[in-house]
Amino acid sequence: MATRKIIQIDEEKCDGCGLCVPACAEGAIQIIEGKARLVSDKYCDGLGDCLGDCPQGALTIVEREAENFDEAAVEAKLSKQPTMLPLAPSQGGGCPSARLMSFGPKPAAPAPKTTSSAASRSSGLEHWPVKLQLVPPTAPFLKDADVLLAADCAGFSFAGLHEDLLPGRAVIIGCPKFDDPTASFSRLRAIFAQGGLRSLTVVHMEVPCCHAYLRLAEQALAASGQEIPFYRIQISLKGDIQFDDRPEANKAQATS
């Protein structure tokens, strides 16, 4: 033990966006229970490379008594997990995903004419499971499939998800804010490398943590060594499509 420089994380400021995790080359930081945590003092070299990647300013360098930095332990740890590319800087500051908002009252939906009309609406889901960490990389429904990788909140925000996006697609869902980024990267890379996907569309919210999910998918695809057509759809907090670069969306806009 010695007094040395080491990272300190302010849990009150941390919103769990996860941008600091891939920014730490030593793997000293993980998202645990929705907050960034220092896994072990011995993994932190105290140089502060991660400081500029926190939009909340929750990371600082302090001097305190801590276990000595152990480079051999870091190398052993990193050898057991996938290498992640550094994320691009987050655009904007803070994380609106945690901000309380009210969009105001909406017109009441008309009551269904009959019970059967509501029952006639069917789900667009064509397989199970859907959660990222439960989907095997070699799942049969991924083979030659157009895969939709959707942030959890998108399913509740975009009303047309089942009718407009799910039919004919395999869907995988996850949360960029609370899922472990390293585990998500590893699973996505394996899915892209082994699944035999025909195309990938990432559906994410407009908030910064969801942009981190988009970058995570891009990096996992690059690391997989596969060339898979990649598209994205951005959903606003009010549930509107703000951006859609799929060929069919561009064609529809051109003819409208």
Side-chain angles (χ1 to χ4, degrees):
M1 300 285 285
T3 299
R4 67 179 184 91
K5 292 183 178 180
I6 195 166
I7 195 72
Q8 178 172 282
I9 303 171
D10 187 333
E11 292 191 8
E12 293 297 322
K13 293 181 178 180
C14 175
D15 61 11
C17 71
L19 294 176
C20 57
V21 175
C24 177
E26 291 73 31
I29 303 175
Q30 290 184 10
I31 302 298
I32 301 173
E33 297 181 350
K35 295 287 185 178
R37 316 271 189 185
L38 181 61
V39 178
S40 174
D41 289 355
K42 68 181 179 181
Y43 296 141
C44 178
D45 60 11
L47 296 180
D49 290 342
C50 56
L51 295 181
D53 288 86
C54 179
Q56 297 292 346
L59 305 181
T60 56
I61 294 293
V62 299
E63 287 196 19
R64 64 170 173 82
E65 190 174 80
E67 186 177 2
N68 290 327
F69 174 63
D70 189 337
E71 187 173 356
V74 169
E75 292 179 356
K77 180 177 184 294
L78 295 179
S79 67
K80 299 177 181 179
Q81 65 186 44
T83 301
M84 294 182 65
L85 306 176
L87 291 173
S90 173
Q91 296 181 355
C95 187
S97 65
R99 188 184 307 154
L100 296 178
M101 302 181 192
S102 176
F103 300 135
K106 294 184 178 180
K113 295 180 180 179
T114 63
T115 304
S116 60
S117 66
S120 67
R121 294 195 298 268
S122 60
S123 169
L125 188 63
E126 299 181 359
H127 64 84
W128 192 263
V130 296
K131 201 69 174 174
L132 174 59
Q133 294 303 327
L134 297 178
V135 174
T138 56
F141 55 76
L142 296 176
K143 184 68 174 177
D144 295 323
D146 296 308
V147 172
L148 197 73
L149 176 63
D152 289 350
C153 293
F156 291 92
S157 301
F158 180 51
L161 185 81
H162 279 265
E163 293 182 0
D164 300 339
L165 299 183
L166 289 193
R169 291 184 173 89
V171 62
I172 301 172
I173 65 172
C175 179
K177 192 176 184 70
F178 295 108
D179 293 351
D180 179 75
T182 301
S184 296
F185 176 87
S186 179
R187 180 55 61 98
L188 285 174
R189 184 177 66 173
I191 286 174
F192 298 153
Q194 304 173 42
L197 281 61
R198 180 165 53 199
S199 71
L200 174 69
T201 299
V202 177
V203 184
H204 65 95
M205 302 299 295
E206 63 175 314
V207 295
C209 54
C210 256
H211 281 272
Y213 204 48
L214 173 68
R215 294 195 293 274
L216 188 70
E218 292 173 333
Q219 294 173 2
L221 180 56
S224 74
Q226 300 297 310
E227 294 185 4
I228 301 171
F230 187 103
Y231 311 107
R232 75 179 181 98
I233 301 172
Q234 179 171 304
I235 308 296
S236 74
L237 296 181
K238 292 185 177 181
D240 303 314
I241 293 181
Q242 294 180 317
F243 181 87
D244 186 346
D245 65 357
R246 294 174 300 153
E248 58 264 42
N250 294 332
K251 184 177 180 180
Q253 291 174 1
T255 56
S256 61

